[in-house]
C-alpha cells in the first residue's frame, strides 16, 4: 500500500467509482489521485518484476517517486501545476486525441526537461515562454504542426481558468496564426467527374464508400463503421472525435449506396471484414488514390495507372461538402452545425429548427452535385 496523504470520511469516498465525492476539494483530490496512480503504474511498467517481491516493488516505487512527508494542503497544491493538469486533461480525451496531447507533452519535455516541466506553474506560461517553445519546435516542425501543440496548451490553460486554478492567459498577446494548407477539396466539376467515373470492378465499393461519406455530410470512417441501423430515416450517433450527439437525414441516394455496401451485423460492411476502422481507412485511401485510367501492357498485362486525384482520401469528402455548401451561399453557422463544429449544449443538439436547416443544406448540396439543380 502507498499513502496519498488524503484523508476522507467514509461518505466522501465512492468505492464503486473510486472517486472522492461530497468534499469541497473533490476535483483537486481526484486529479491528484489519478496522477499519482498514473505515476506509480509508469514506474511499475518500467521494472522487471518477475523475480521481485511486493516489498521490493514498493521500495523501488517509493525511490522513484521520492515522496516526502507533507501536509495535505501541500500535496493537493502539486495538482495545480501545469504538467499535472496537462496530463489529466489529455487522459480525459479519447484515445486518439490523448495521443495528440501526449505528443505535445513530449515536445515540452524535449524543450525544457521533465523535471523543470513538472515544477512549472500556469503563471510560467507567458508570452516569452510560448515564443521560445515555438522557436524550438520550428527547428523540426512546420507552422501548422506547431500550431497543433500550441492549441493543445491553450486548451489546458482555458480549462484551468474555468476551474479557477489560474487567471493567467498569455494567449491574449500570443496569437496562433495558421499557415494556409494545401486544398483538400474537389470543385463541383471534378467531384461530378469522380462520381461518374467507372472504376475497375473491385474498386467500385471504395468509390461508393467515398460517395456515401460525402452524402452523409463528411461522416468520419470511425463513426460510419460503428453504425448499426437507420431509425426514422436518420442515422443517430455520438461522434467519436468530439463525443457530440449527431443526426443526419439519410437521403434516397445515400440509402441506395447503403444497400450496396450493407454489412451482416452493421449498417455497412467495414467491421464485418476489417479488425478496426483504421485498417479499413488505410485500405480505402490507398485505393482512392489509384482511381483513374488503367492500361495493361506486355505479356503479363502489367497495369499502368493514371490517377484522377493522386492525393484523394476520405477526408476530401468532408472538405468538398463544406466548400460546395459555401458556394451555394449556405450560411456559415449552418455549415458549422452540419460538420459538428457547433456547441455541445442541449439547445444546440436538440432544436429541430436547427437540424432542419442542416437537412435542407445537405439536400441543396446533393441536388447541385448530382443533378446540377440550384
Amino acid at each position: 500500500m502507498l499513502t496519498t496523504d488524503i484523508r476522507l470520511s467514509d461518505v466522501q469516498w465512492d468505492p464503486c467509482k473510486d472517486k472522492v465525492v461530497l468534499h469541497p476539494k473533490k476535483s483537486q483530490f481526484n486529479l491528484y489521485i489519478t496522477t499519482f496512480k498514473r505515476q506509480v503504474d509508469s514506474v511499475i511498467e518500467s521494472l522487471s518484476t518477475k523475480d521481485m517481491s511486493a516489498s521490493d516493488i514498493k521500495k523501488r516505487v517509493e525511490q522513484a517517486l521520492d515522496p516526502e512527508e507533507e501536509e495535505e494542503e501541500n500535496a493537493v497544491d502539486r495538482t495545480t501545476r501545469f504538467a499535472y493538469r496537462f496530463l489529466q486533461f489529455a487522459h480525459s480525451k479519447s484515445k486518439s486525441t490523448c495521443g495528440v496531447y501526449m505528443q505535445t507533452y513530449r515536445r515540452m519535455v524535449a524543450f525544457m526537461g521533465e523535471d523543470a516541466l513538472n515544477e512549472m506553474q500556469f503563471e510560467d506560461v507567458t508570452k516569452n515562454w510560448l515564443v521560445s517553445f515555438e522557436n524550438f519546435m520550428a527547428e523540426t516542425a512546420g507552422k501548422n504542426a506547431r500550431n497543433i501543440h500550441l492549441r493543445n496548451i491553450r486548451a489546458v490553460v482555458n480549462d484551468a481558468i474555468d476551474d479557477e486554478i489560474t487567471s493567467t492567459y498569455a494567449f491574449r498577446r500570443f496569437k496562433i496564426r495558421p499557415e494556409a494548407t494545401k486544398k483538400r477539396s474537389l470543385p463541383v466539376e471534378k467531384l461530378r467527374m469522380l462520381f461518374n467515373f467507372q472504376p475497375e470492378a473491385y474498386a467500385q465499393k471504395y468509390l461508393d464508400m467515398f460517395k456515401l461519406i460525402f452524402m452523409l455530410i463528411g461522416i468520419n470512417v470511425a463513426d460510419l463503421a460503428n453504425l448499426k441501423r437507420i431509425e426514422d430515416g436518420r442515422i443517430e450517433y455520438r461522434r467519436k472525435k468530439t463525443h457530440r450527439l449527431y443526426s443526419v437525414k439519410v437521403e434516397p441516394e445515400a440509402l441506395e449506396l447503403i444497400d450496396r455496401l450493407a454489412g451482416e451485423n452493421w449498417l455497412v460492411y467495414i467491421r464485418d471484414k476489417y479488425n478496426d476502422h483504421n485498417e479499413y481507412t488505410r485500405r480505402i485511401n490507398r485505393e482512392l488514390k489509384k482511381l483513374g485510367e488503367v492500361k495493361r501492357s506486355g505479356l503479363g498485362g502489367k497495369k499502368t495507372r493514371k490517377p484522377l486525384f493522386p492525393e484523394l482520401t476520405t477526408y476530401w469528402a468532408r472538405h468538398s461538402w463544406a466548400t460546395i455548401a459555401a458556394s451555394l451561399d449556405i450560411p456559415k453557422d449552418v455549415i458549422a452545425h452540419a460538420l459538428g463544429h457547433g456547441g455541445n449544449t442541449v439547445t444546440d443538439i436538440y432544436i429541430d429548427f436547427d437540424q432542419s436547416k442542416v437537412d435542407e443544406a445537405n439536400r441543396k448540396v446533393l441536388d447541385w452535385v448530382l443533378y446540377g439543380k440550384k
Side-chain angles (χ1 to χ4, degrees), residues 15-29:
C16 295
K17 296 182 178 180
D18 280 349
K19 285 189 174 182
V20 179
V21 295
L22 303 177
H23 191 286
K25 293 183 178 179
K26 63 181 181 181
S27 296
Q28 291 175 303
F29 284 171

Side-chain angles (χ1 to χ4, degrees), residues 57-332:
I57 295 172
K58 177 182 177 180
K59 184 176 180 181
R60 291 288 295 276
V61 170
E62 288 177 331
Q63 289 173 344
L65 297 180
D66 192 23
E68 298 179 358
E69 293 296 326
E70 56 186 353
E71 296 297 323
E72 175 185 303
E73 194 66 33
N74 290 333
V76 175
D77 283 346
R78 297 174 61 193
T79 69
T80 65
R81 292 177 185 172
F82 173 72
Y84 279 91
R85 295 284 303 192
F86 191 96
L87 291 171
Q88 178 67 16
F89 189 85
H91 287 280
S92 70
K93 303 298 180 181
S94 66
K95 183 177 180 180
S96 59
T97 303
C98 178
V100 176
Y101 274 85
M102 292 310 295
Q103 289 178 23
T104 303
Y105 182 81
R106 287 190 287 271
R107 296 304 293 149
M108 291 190 293
V109 169
F111 171 56
M112 61 187 305
E114 192 163 18
D115 290 342
L117 181 61
N118 286 336
E119 293 299 320
M120 188 172 171
Q121 303 289 337
F122 277 94
E123 288 70 24
D124 297 322
V125 184
T126 63
K127 179 182 177 181
N128 287 339
W129 185 88
L130 292 168
V131 170
S132 298
F133 182 48
E134 183 174 28
N135 290 340
F136 166 78
M137 292 190 294
E139 298 176 6
T140 56
K143 177 65 174 173
N144 287 329
R146 302 198 301 269
N147 284 350
I148 291 173
H149 297 307
L150 294 168
R151 283 196 294 269
N152 288 345
I153 293 171
R154 184 175 64 187
V156 174
V157 171
N158 285 332
D159 183 65
I161 290 173
D162 290 343
D163 287 349
E164 299 182 354
I165 298 298
T166 185
S167 59
T168 301
Y169 192 66
F171 290 94
R172 288 193 194 92
R173 298 177 297 280
F174 180 89
K175 302 301 180 184
I176 302 175
R177 293 183 172 85
E179 183 177 61
T181 56
K182 193 170 183 179
K183 197 171 183 181
R184 292 190 291 178
S185 64
L186 295 173
V188 66
E189 297 82 6
K190 292 187 176 181
L191 193 62
R192 288 171 182 158
M193 181 195 304
L194 177 65
F195 280 13
N196 293 321
F197 179 71
Q198 295 297 315
E200 297 172 271
Y202 86 92
Q204 184 64 56
K205 60 181 177 291
Y206 300 114
L207 178 55
D208 285 346
M209 194 68 77
F210 181 90
K211 292 161 70 173
L212 178 60
I213 290 171
F214 178 86
M215 293 180 190
L216 296 179
I217 317 181
I219 187 172
N220 188 280
V221 172
D223 298 315
L224 181 58
N226 287 306
L227 292 176
K228 283 280 192 177
R229 64 187 68 85
I230 298 172
E231 296 183 4
D232 298 325
R234 310 186 72 86
I235 56 171
E236 312 275 352
Y237 63 96
R238 189 176 293 276
R239 195 172 174 211
K240 184 178 179 67
K241 181 177 180 180
T242 62
H243 305 294
R244 186 183 190 277
L245 290 174
Y246 209 71
S247 175
V248 178
K249 182 181 179 183
V250 180
E251 297 292 343
E253 297 87 347
L255 185 59
E256 181 181 339
L257 290 170
I258 289 171
D259 289 340
R260 294 212 295 261
L261 299 168
E264 296 179 10
N265 303 306
W266 307 87
L267 188 66
V268 294
Y269 70 84
I270 296 173
R271 289 197 58 183
D272 288 317
K273 296 186 177 182
Y274 292 85
N275 292 328
D276 60 57
H277 71 273
N278 290 319
E279 182 184 354
Y280 177 76
T281 300
R282 289 190 291 270
R283 177 62 183 269
I284 187 174
N285 285 339
R286 283 199 305 269
E287 298 301 333
L288 290 175
K289 289 177 172 66
K290 294 193 296 187
L291 288 176
E293 182 182 349
V294 181
K295 290 184 179 180
R296 290 182 176 272
S297 59
L299 295 176
K302 181 180 178 181
K303 291 182 179 181
T304 302
R305 300 181 182 275
K306 186 179 179 181
L308 290 171
F309 309 106
E311 297 180 355
L312 187 66
T313 67
T314 56
Y315 203 66
W316 285 55
R318 183 175 178 83
H319 273 236
S320 298
W321 190 97
T323 301
I324 293 170
S327 74
L328 296 174
D329 295 325
I330 293 171
K332 287 184 178 180

